[in-house]
Amino acid sequence: GMLWQSSALQSRRLLKKVNGKYWSLYGCYPSRAGYEAGNGGQGMAYSSDGVLWERLSNTIPVISGGSPDMPRWEDRVVYQPYLVEFNETMWNFYNAAGENQYNHTAEESGLANLAAKEFPGINFAKKQSQWSLNPASPIIHSGPPGSDDTAMASDPKVFWDELQKVWVMFYFGLGDGTQGHADIMIAFSKDLIHWEKDEEPLYHAGGHPSGIDAQHAHKISLIYDEHGIGYLYYTAVGPKGRGIALLTSKPKNSPSTLHV
């Protein structure tokens, strides 16, 4: 969850300095027993050069996971954050595990906010975070039975589409409709709070001709080049394990579409 100079879809991903430092939210876990083991949480780090980073605090989390005081949708595990600055407000998008509206264990995506003037939002005197859980959360619910995100609606990444004048969220869905695979999904918003999901995945796992994403296609990172071509990197999981794969918005000299 780096703090970027711009959240525009096709802008360069340049780090922004606040008070002379670069900043990043990050996900953290209390156990080394396995991948993302434990109840999770979020921390804040800073850097003067973008290379060497230090924790803002070793003991005060931005958001804690696994608390019975949390809303039930996020009372088990809190996962990775994605940071957006807009309208003098910081927007911390993240996914968490808990119980969904259908009384099933699921991962859903939510939101925490902070006034930009209060950034980075750690009160050392009171030993507490100033970030507020947004009451609209979860802003991306896990879907009803039969949908593509009944189990997971996770890892939100949010950008402003200047051409369409709409906020765009990339996330991954896993559920009844994906037969146990994670697919890349997309949603749209005018205000960063109310989102409309496209029920059809943007990209289905198993689409790569080599089979490297036969199990999962998820956890994206997106950049555009000077020619307006989008490069969507994602974590691919298949028979040979886990790696990074790439989709492009268009091949050279061809109409825009997704290509592997």
Side-chain angles (χ1 to χ4, degrees):
M2 300 288 189
L3 178 60
W4 303 116
Q5 292 182 18
S6 172
S7 295
L9 189 68
Q10 297 194 31
S11 68
R12 297 178 66 192
R13 304 287 176 253
L14 299 175
L15 295 173
K16 179 179 178 178
K17 277 191 172 181
V18 175
N19 298 326
K21 298 181 178 66
Y22 300 117
W23 298 90
S24 177
L25 289 169
Y26 62 90
C28 46
Y29 304 90
S31 172
R32 297 185 179 181
Y35 181 67
E36 295 181 343
N39 53 22
Q42 297 176 7
M44 180 75 72
Y46 64 90
S47 172
S48 60
D49 59 8
V51 177
L52 299 176
W53 293 81
E54 296 184 45
R55 296 180 181 89
L56 182 61
S57 173
N58 290 323
T59 57
I60 307 172
V62 172
I63 299 176
S64 297
S67 169
D69 297 326
M70 300 283 276
R72 67 173 190 164
W73 77 272
E74 59 176 328
D75 63 2
R76 297 183 185 177
V77 187
V78 168
Y79 294 100
Q80 271 67 248
Y82 189 82
L83 185 59
V84 171
E85 182 180 7
F86 176 69
N87 198 24
E88 300 182 352
T89 302
M90 297 299 186
W91 305 73
N92 174 0
F93 296 89
Y94 63 97
N95 61 295
E99 191 173 283
N100 67 12
Q101 60 186 322
Y102 306 103
N103 300 315
H104 296 149
T105 299
E107 288 184 21
E108 302 179 294
S109 291
L111 177 63
N113 293 110
L114 177 77
K117 64 183 181 181
E118 296 177 351
F119 188 80
I122 298 297
N123 188 319
F124 286 95
K126 295 183 178 180
K127 297 182 179 181
Q128 65 184 25
S129 172
Q130 295 174 280
W131 289 80
S132 298
L133 304 180
N134 194 299
S137 298
I139 55 172
I140 298 290
H141 289 267
S142 54
S147 65
D148 289 341
D149 54 5
T150 51
M152 295 183 183
S154 302
D155 196 47
K157 307 289 176 60
V158 176
F159 306 92
W160 173 249
D161 187 332
E162 310 100 315
L163 297 178
Q164 302 295 327
K165 304 300 181 186
V166 68
W167 290 97
V168 181
M169 177 192 291
F170 296 83
Y171 69 101
F172 74 83
L174 187 154
D176 297 341
T178 66
Q179 289 79 49
H181 306 296
D183 292 345
I184 299 172
M185 312 287 289
I186 196 166
F188 304 93
S189 175
K190 292 291 188 180
D191 61 6
L192 290 173
I193 296 175
H194 304 93
W195 292 85
E196 182 177 351
K197 296 192 289 188
D198 188 332
E199 300 301 332
E200 177 65 23
L202 182 69
Y203 177 77
H204 291 275
H208 197 284
S210 72
I212 61 172
D213 59 7
Q215 184 176 358
H216 299 311
H218 61 348
K219 302 181 179 180
I220 70 99
S221 181
L222 177 64
I223 59 171
Y224 277 76
D225 67 13
E226 66 274 18
H227 304 295
I229 298 176
Y231 296 79
L232 193 151
Y233 298 88
Y234 64 98
T235 301
V237 182
K240 296 184 178 181
R242 183 178 295 258
I244 303 299
L246 172 64
L247 301 171
T248 57
S249 60
K250 58 182 177 180
K252 301 296 184 180
N253 304 317
S254 293
S256 179
T257 186
L258 284 175
H259 295 267
V260 293

